[in-house]
Amino acid sequence: MIRVLLAEDQSMVREALAALLGLEDEIEVIAQVARGDEVVDAARTHRPDVALLDIEMPGMSGIEAAAALHRAAPGIRIVILTTFGRPGYLRRAMESGADAFLVKDAPAAQLADAIRRVLRGERVIDPTLAAAALVDGASPLTAREREVLHASADGSTNAELARALHLSPGTVRNYLSTAIQKTAARNRAEAVRIAREKGWL
């Protein structure tokens, strides 16, 4: 039996996925959580073979949860399932330790097949996203630029960002300026929008 931990914040989607996977003879959903920051504790408690993670969750994104789970329990296979088919998400998911990356509009049989395949040590990636990721290339933003740009999305001033991130206002200004240039944006709001569309944030 393949034991699956399911992390998805939308209860209707989570229950539907659990029901679909429950129809498979050798797959059992043994635990469900609605928050990304609950994944590692649930994995320690229930010891799944595979963790199926949504990207957009409260507490911690699926990509952050994948990285934390990969550090805490490297033997657990990780499948990222998302509505957001963005090449940047794919790259970040693979860097975080994910074994598979699928979009939610894929057939249910494809998801079950992916779970079986990752358990055999294979990597499973949506082919359309894989091609788009090759065309787009890697994110040009450094981890720090991404952090500052993400923090600026709520409209905080440079001084507020500096206090929150424990940086000087000049350093914040430099990071934002570089992020704006790298995204070919006109201002920080546009840089945030472009980076989100690409899956870099």
Side-chain angles (χ1 to χ4, degrees), residues 63-85:
I63 292 173
E64 293 166 332
L69 182 58
H70 187 64
R71 287 191 301 270
I76 297 174
R77 302 297 182 191
I78 300 169
V79 176
I80 299 281
L81 189 63
T82 182
T83 304
F84 307 100

Side-chain angles (χ1 to χ4, degrees), residues 68 72 74 82-83 95 129 134 141 171 177:
T82 182
T83 304
E95 289 166 2
L129 275 178
L134 287 172
L141 301 174
T171 300
S177 176

Side-chain angles (χ1 to χ4, degrees), residues 91 130-137:
R91 285 183 174 277
L134 287 172
V135 170
D136 271 9

Side-chain angles (χ1 to χ4, degrees), residues 134-149:
L134 287 172
V135 170
D136 271 9
S139 169
L141 301 174
T142 66
R144 201 59 150 153
E145 288 161 359
R146 191 167 57 235
E147 179 187 21
V148 174
L149 189 60

Side-chain angles (χ1 to χ4, degrees), residues 4 6-24 27 29 32-33 52 81 104 106-109 111-112 115:
V4 175
L6 177 55
E8 161 66 60
D9 64 320
Q10 296 179 36
S11 57
M12 191 178 293
V13 175
R14 187 174 64 249
E15 289 165 15
L17 284 169
L20 284 170
L21 291 173
L23 298 174
E24 301 289 328
I27 297 176
V29 176
Q32 299 179 39
V33 297
L52 179 58
L81 189 63
K104 285 182 181 174
L111 175 59
I115 288 171

Side-chain angles (χ1 to χ4, degrees), residues 136 138-142 145-146 148-150 152 174-201:
D136 271 9
S139 169
L141 301 174
T142 66
E145 288 161 359
R146 191 167 57 235
V148 174
L149 189 60
H150 183 268
S152 76
N174 290 340
Y175 279 130
L176 286 174
S177 176
T178 304
I180 290 167
Q181 289 172 3
K182 286 182 176 180
T183 55
R186 290 171 296 192
N187 52 52
R188 77 165 72 173
E190 188 176 41
V192 167
R193 179 183 60 74
I194 291 168
R196 280 182 172 161
E197 286 173 358
K198 296 278 190 182
W200 296 339
L201 284 186

